[in-house]
Amino acid sequence: LRRTALTRYQPYAKQQEFHNAAYRERLLMAGNQLGKSYSGGAEMAMHLTGLYPDWWEGLRFDKPIRAWAASVTAEVTRDGVQRILLGEPSDSAAIGTGMIPGDKIVETKRRVNVPNAIASVVVKHVSGGNSSLVFKSYDQGREKFQADTLNLIWLDEEPPAEIYYESLTRTNATKGKVYMTFTPLKGM
């Protein structure tokens, strides 16, 4: 069971509506601890691996993708999106118990100066190639979100406007997608 999180994921109605929306920009906004990040992680894992469940009606990538997942700080990224996607950060044996199945993880690279943080992961796609995911954090600043061309970006927790717009720019050439999951704590 520890290594089957993705196959066991069953979205509730609002999560399903979010997954099925065919827009370039999407937001799943709700209260705390209601499954926003969990569904964001499930979606990222599906796109990285190409493993889509029978109920999936949303966007599908039929080849490997290049993606980012980001949150407020390196520590919040590690404790949130990294944990959801890979497994408990403080337990190296837990890699592969998150949404990305362990047998699909080709390689991980550690992030420097942040204990137990992963900088990037290479993931087997069902098409035969490998997808890549880089973990980022908003505190790196807009400049660290420049210069790459990506298919997909997941922003977990509300980003500063300049990070959001830079993320959109990274997906222009591929007609890629950007999605966010957060509780609106910053007001309008």
Side-chain angles (χ1 to χ4, degrees):
L1 282 177
R2 286 185 67 197
R3 296 187 178 271
T4 61
L6 185 58
T7 59
R8 290 183 290 112
Y9 174 66
Q10 292 294 318
Y12 57 78
K14 287 292 183 186
Q15 290 169 321
Q16 181 80 45
E17 184 179 340
F18 169 74
H19 293 311
N20 290 343
Y23 302 104
R24 179 167 184 225
E25 304 171 59
R26 291 178 297 130
L27 167 63
L28 181 55
M29 183 170 59
N32 286 313
Q33 298 295 304
L34 293 174
K36 301 173 304 298
S37 298
Y38 194 70
S39 61
E43 180 162 332
M44 179 60 78
M46 289 176 211
H47 295 316
L48 290 168
T49 63
L51 296 171
Y52 298 97
D54 293 340
W55 54 260
W56 184 263
E57 297 175 10
L59 168 72
R60 289 177 184 251
F61 288 98
D62 59 1
K63 60 184 180 185
I65 65 167
R66 299 185 74 237
W68 286 347
S71 195
V72 180
T73 66
E75 292 80 4
V76 172
T77 299
R78 175 197 63 204
D79 298 342
V81 296
Q82 177 187 319
R83 177 184 52 79
I84 290 167
L85 289 169
L86 299 177
E88 179 56 45
S90 62
D91 180 3
S92 60
I95 289 182
T97 63
M99 284 293 183
I100 302 171
D103 64 342
K104 299 297 181 198
I105 297 172
V106 175
E107 176 184 22
T108 60
K109 291 194 177 160
R110 294 257 173 216
R111 186 167 178 168
V112 181
N113 299 324
V114 183
N116 305 315
I118 301 293
S120 63
V121 60
V122 177
V123 179
K124 283 185 211 172
H125 191 275
V126 295
S127 67
N130 291 329
S131 293
S132 65
L133 173 68
V134 173
F135 292 103
K136 295 213 167 261
S137 58
Y138 310 154
D139 65 354
Q140 291 178 292
R142 183 191 60 77
E143 293 80 12
K144 297 290 184 179
F145 282 72
Q146 294 179 169
D148 214 340
T149 301
L150 302 162
N151 304 100
L152 186 67
I153 300 175
W154 170 28
L155 303 172
D156 187 54
E157 303 305 341
E158 191 171 0
E162 63 271 12
I163 299 286
Y164 182 72
Y165 294 125
E166 196 62 50
S167 296
L168 282 176
T169 302
R170 299 304 105 224
T171 60
N172 280 345
T174 65
K175 296 184 170 83
K177 311 291 183 187
V178 176
Y179 67 94
M180 297 184 293
T181 53
F182 66 75
T183 298
L185 300 175
K186 295 182 179 182
M188 294 298 285

